[in-house]
Amino acid sequence: MPPQYYAPPPPPGPQYGWGPLPPQPRKRSGGTALLVVALLAVVAAGGVFLAVKLTQGGGDGPTTAAPVATESATPEPTTAPSSVPPPPPTAAPRPTRTTRTTTKVTPPKPAQTVNPATYNATHRLYKTGVMRTVNCKQAKTGLGNGSQSLAYFKTIKTCLDRAWPKQVAASGGRFRSPGLVVWGGSVNTPCGGGVGRSFYCPTTHTIYMESPSIVSFYKQNPTFGRMVGTFTMAHEYAHAVQWMTGLGVAYTRLRYDASAAGALQLSRRLELQASCLGNVFLGANRNSYGITGYAYQMWLYDVNNSGDRPPYPRDHGSTTNHGAWSRAAFQSRNPASCNTWSASPARVS
């Protein structure tokens, strides 16, 4: 397969729009201040990224950006460029690498005689059944700083490492726990680098979680910050699942020969599927993880408002479609709900 290269990030400036975030419940103490959050979100080359403005008591708080990843043409990273500069380097945690089982993975490749479009549309992953809960629980640590973020993401990853092996094996893939790097400031990888983005890199089979943005969300609204961080991690891990099962490799083959419009549609199918598969996991563990009540409302707001915003490339899908695929997966807990490759163009628009 010809080599693929990471596409440059879009130009600076607002990338995607969000509606106003619902205010937090009024405290019984009688406090009158309301937290109103305005944010930006997208799934870009492997991730959804958000920009939040805090308004409280009439004053503007810091504006920052957070991810959930993006796809472009690479041995593919899944990353979301930041729409604004990250916090100063002095405030950003250094990259922290966790132990991983491998540094490089060789995913199963579609048979040469099988059309990659047919391979992805009829994949055995869709027949693996409902995902069973692994009783995943949120880390007791918050997301108040880089070291807490590392502990938080490691806890989620441990759950994901327990949830996906059965489904991957049943689909004919070979499970390999992806690596995890939590970083701030900037990072360089074989799939590219930059600032303000979380992504998965197939070349190193590693998830790179950018923490400063999510720390900022957490400080503004802890419940929303937890849901953003959790969904980001589940989405990026789903990209790793796509490459472990061969779906990602087939995607790169399809994209190599596609027109510009065709490549954008393929990217949308890949990204919407990653969000869908991530929500299969979240739905399977909704009770133990506590995605109920206000946390459920924050998760719902996240998935219903993530997506492409003009004038930027239509590479992740509309907010309507992102919400539809995410909600269906959360309820079904079954990868069968995530066959974006056989869906009509309208469903991945």
Side-chain angles (χ1 to χ4, degrees):
M1 180 178 67
Q4 304 290 319
Y5 298 94
Y6 175 54
Q15 303 289 316
Y16 300 87
W18 278 68
L21 186 67
Q24 296 189 84
R26 188 182 298 274
K27 295 182 179 180
R28 294 186 179 181
S29 62
T32 58
L34 294 179
L35 177 64
V36 180
V37 185
L39 20 96
L40 295 171
V42 66
V43 201
V48 176
F49 75 91
L50 317 151
V52 174
K53 175 178 280 187
L54 173 66
T55 303
Q56 188 172 15
D60 288 339
T63 298
T64 186
V68 178
T70 286
E71 273 302 329
S72 60
T74 320
E76 309 241 331
T78 58
T79 142
S82 174
S83 60
V84 297
T90 55
R94 295 181 178 178
T96 306
R97 185 181 300 275
T98 63
T99 302
R100 56 185 175 181
T101 59
T102 183
T103 57
K104 189 171 183 179
V105 66
T106 303
K109 296 182 179 181
Q112 295 296 329
T113 57
V114 178
N115 182 291
T118 302
Y119 179 88
N120 278 10
T122 61
H123 203 280
R124 288 165 56 185
L125 180 63
Y126 315 131
K127 300 178 181 179
T128 57
V130 173
M131 176 178 282
R132 296 181 179 179
T133 182
V134 292
N135 293 313
C136 186
K137 292 181 174 60
Q138 287 194 57
K140 294 182 179 179
T141 61
L143 289 158
N145 55 46
S147 61
Q148 289 180 356
S149 297
L150 173 62
Y152 192 86
F153 294 136
K154 285 176 67 176
T155 297
I156 304 172
K157 182 179 178 295
T158 297
C159 296
L160 288 158
D161 284 344
R162 290 161 49 206
W164 278 111
K166 181 179 179 181
Q167 238 88 23
V168 170
S171 71
R174 186 174 52 163
F175 181 82
R176 294 290 185 275
S177 174
L180 173 64
V181 173
V182 177
W183 61 283
S186 63
V187 67
N188 294 312
T189 78
C191 294
V195 296
R197 60 181 90 176
S198 290
F199 58 96
Y200 165 73
C201 178
T203 303
T204 58
H205 189 46
T206 296
I207 295 167
Y208 297 85
M209 292 294 294
E210 188 265 358
S211 65
S213 301
I214 298 176
V215 167
S216 178
F217 292 141
Y218 178 81
K219 289 181 177 179
Q220 295 172 41
N221 182 330
T223 302
F224 184 70
R226 284 175 178 271
M227 290 300 97
V228 171
T230 297
F231 174 62
T232 301
M233 186 68 192
H235 174 100
E236 297 305 334
Y237 200 101
H239 278 302
V241 171
Q242 288 173 318
W243 260 263
M244 284 188 278
T245 56
L247 288 161
V249 175
Y251 157 76
T252 60
R253 291 180 177 175
L254 287 167
R255 183 159 176 159
Y256 181 74
D257 293 322
S259 64
L264 286 174
Q265 184 181 107
L266 290 169
S267 178
R268 294 195 296 269
R269 293 185 188 277
L270 186 82
E271 293 298 333
L272 287 170
Q273 183 176 62
S275 288
C276 186
L277 292 173
N279 281 302
V280 165
F281 166 78
L282 296 183
N285 294 278
R286 72 186 90 177
N287 293 325
S288 60
Y289 202 81
I291 309 179
T292 59
Y294 184 60
Y296 174 79
Q297 294 302 318
M298 293 298 94
W299 166 84
L300 192 64
Y301 185 84
D302 188 346
V303 300
N304 283 344
N305 289 277
S306 299
D308 297 333
R309 304 279 181 172
Y312 295 93
R314 294 293 322 286
D315 57 358
H316 283 77
S318 67
T319 56
T320 298
N321 283 327
H322 187 274
W325 287 101
S326 296
R327 294 191 306 271
F330 189 83
Q331 294 302 322
S332 72
R333 298 163 290 139
N334 193 326
S337 299
C338 302
N339 188 354
T340 59
W341 302 97
S342 64
S344 68
R347 293 187 64 203
V348 293
S349 64

